């Protein structure tokens, strides 16, 4: 599912393995710094990229929504680094 979303977003397919490194694809993974989900989003970054987080729901744990947010996040970084995906 992550590979399909990454491909659909037009990102390099290698980025689909980011969650393996970040969380071992565990949607309930939480770091000591309170980053959560397969992409290990911090709360503020998640909100900036369209993920909802309140007392009832935390979309950082939704792999599909978090992958779309990660695509937005990575696209913003690649623009900041003049199109260099390695730096992003």
């Amino acid at each position: 599912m992550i590979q399909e979303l990454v491909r659909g977003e037009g990102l390099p397919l290698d980025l689909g393995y980011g969650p393996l490194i970040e969380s071992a694809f565990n949607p309930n993974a939480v770091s000591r710094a309170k980053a959560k989900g397969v992409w290990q989003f911090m709360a503020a970054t998640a909100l900036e990229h369209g993920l909802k987080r309140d007392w009832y729901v935390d979309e950082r744990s939704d792999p599909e929504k978090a992958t779309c947010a990660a695509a937005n996040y990575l696209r913003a970084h690649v623009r900041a680094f003049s199109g260099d995906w390695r730096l992003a």
Side-chain angles (χ1 to χ4, degrees), residues 16-76:
Y17 293 103
L20 175 64
I21 297 162
E22 294 289 339
S23 65
F25 295 113
N26 179 356
N28 296 313
V30 179
S31 73
R32 281 181 257 146
K34 304 296 183 223
K36 186 174 183 179
V38 294
W39 288 94
Q40 290 293 286
F41 274 111
M42 296 294 290
T45 307
L47 291 173
E48 286 175 18
H49 295 282
L51 296 176
K52 184 177 175 184
R53 182 179 172 270
D54 58 30
W55 65 273
Y56 186 70
V57 67
D58 189 342
E59 291 182 341
R60 296 179 297 171
S61 294
D62 182 318
E64 187 172 350
K65 289 180 181 179
T67 299
C68 290
N72 291 334
Y73 176 80
L74 290 166
R75 239 187 260 103

Side-chain angles (χ1 to χ4, degrees), residues 2-4 6 9 16 19 41 53 56 63 65 71 80 83 86:
I2 290 174
Q3 286 287 4
E4 288 177 21
V6 168
E9 293 285 340
F41 274 111
R53 182 179 172 270
Y56 186 70
K65 289 180 181 179
R86 294 170 298 172

